Amino acid sequence: MGDLNLVTILVIATNVIISYKGFKDRYFFDRYKFNAAAVKRGEKLRILSSGFLHVDTSHLFLNMLTLYFFADVVIDSMGTIGFLLIYFASLLVGNLLSYYFHKHDYAYNAVGASGAVSGIIYAAILLYPDMSLYLFLIPIPIPAYVFGIGYMLYSIYGMKRQLGNIGHDAHFGGAVGGYLLTLVLAPWIFTDHLLMVILLAIPIVLLFFLQKAGKIG
């Protein structure tokens, strides 16, 4: 992991350029951030544009560093087009899920590539479920599928408890988008990693039942 393909450079560069424009120009930031009321008025571009804005340099750095480590895994298996499809689909699904849960909260705002990055992480996990991941400050390797399931369950918990200033629903939606599109583009995963497909689907099914039961949303 960690090879800089041209498409990775372009995606990271686009995020950096647009984010720094937003850092310096508050009007630009407010014009293109995700805002539930604005989206409801018909400003649908925000669903896409907000994925290239970030709150600050730390937010931008963490997302781009994570993308850097996982992008080449997906590109090597799915190709440039497959990577871009998963990236943008995850971004859109993440923000659409945010809109679904916050459409009546007109003051709700969000920015960041976290949904898209979550989709890329999930795609990488589906493609290579046996790989190990290292989390910050934890020097012990964690199986990718354990991380993936834990990440989704934590996102559900965060959505339910509204923990912190974090778009848990966008993270979850992005992971779902990456999960589904990867299976569509690489159906051989059903044969090679069927158990992982089932295990990673459990949090998705759980969220569906929690939402139907009125526990979330």
Side-chain angles (χ1 to χ4, degrees):
M1 293 188 289
D3 294 336
L4 271 177
N5 291 278
L6 177 59
V7 67
T8 307
I9 295 173
L10 291 174
V11 171
I12 291 176
T14 301
N15 273 278
V16 170
I17 292 169
I18 295 176
S19 291
Y20 269 88
K21 171 67 174 174
F23 296 158
K24 296 180 180 180
D25 186 341
R26 189 67 196 186
Y27 173 80
F28 179 86
F29 183 89
D30 290 339
R31 178 68 183 82
Y32 293 106
K33 70 183 179 182
F34 180 94
N35 173 264
V39 172
K40 192 166 188 175
R41 288 196 304 267
E43 298 179 28
K44 300 298 192 293
L45 178 61
R46 291 173 182 263
I47 295 174
L48 175 65
S49 62
S50 60
F52 292 91
L53 292 168
H54 289 80
V55 173
D56 52 32
T57 53
S58 297
H59 185 207
L60 173 64
F61 176 76
L62 182 59
N63 272 337
M64 295 304 100
L65 180 65
T66 305
L67 180 63
Y68 163 76
F69 281 118
F70 287 95
D72 66 305
V73 176
V74 179
I75 293 170
D76 289 346
S77 295
M78 308 294 289
T80 297
I81 300 300
F83 166 80
L84 290 174
L85 285 173
I86 294 169
Y87 184 91
F88 282 101
S90 300
L91 190 162
L92 294 174
V93 172
N95 281 339
L96 286 171
L97 188 66
S98 288
Y99 181 69
Y100 176 78
F101 283 114
H102 298 282
K103 57 181 176 288
H104 299 303
D105 181 3
Y106 296 154
Y108 182 80
N109 300 303
V111 294
S114 300
V117 174
S118 295
I120 294 300
I121 292 173
Y122 245 63
I125 291 172
L126 279 172
L127 292 165
Y128 298 100
D130 295 331
M131 69 179 176
S132 296
L133 306 177
Y134 290 85
L135 301 181
F136 292 112
L137 304 179
I138 303 178
I140 303 173
I142 300 174
Y145 68 90
V146 173
F147 171 83
I149 294 170
Y151 178 85
M152 294 282 263
L153 291 176
Y154 175 74
S155 293
I156 292 175
Y157 180 76
M159 291 163 66
K160 191 172 187 297
R161 297 294 184 181
Q162 297 183 345
L163 294 178
N165 188 27
I166 300 173
H168 295 285
D169 38 19
H171 293 190
F172 188 96
V176 171
Y179 173 86
L180 294 176
L181 190 55
T182 301
L183 293 176
V184 170
L185 296 176
W188 54 264
I189 292 174
F190 284 103
T191 301
D192 291 3
H193 308 306
L194 180 59
L195 178 59
M196 293 301 108
V197 172
I198 295 171
L199 289 175
L200 291 172
I202 291 174
I204 300 173
V205 175
L206 176 61
L207 177 67
F208 174 79
F209 281 109
L210 287 174
Q211 195 278 325
K212 287 295 183 182
K215 302 296 184 180
I216 294 179

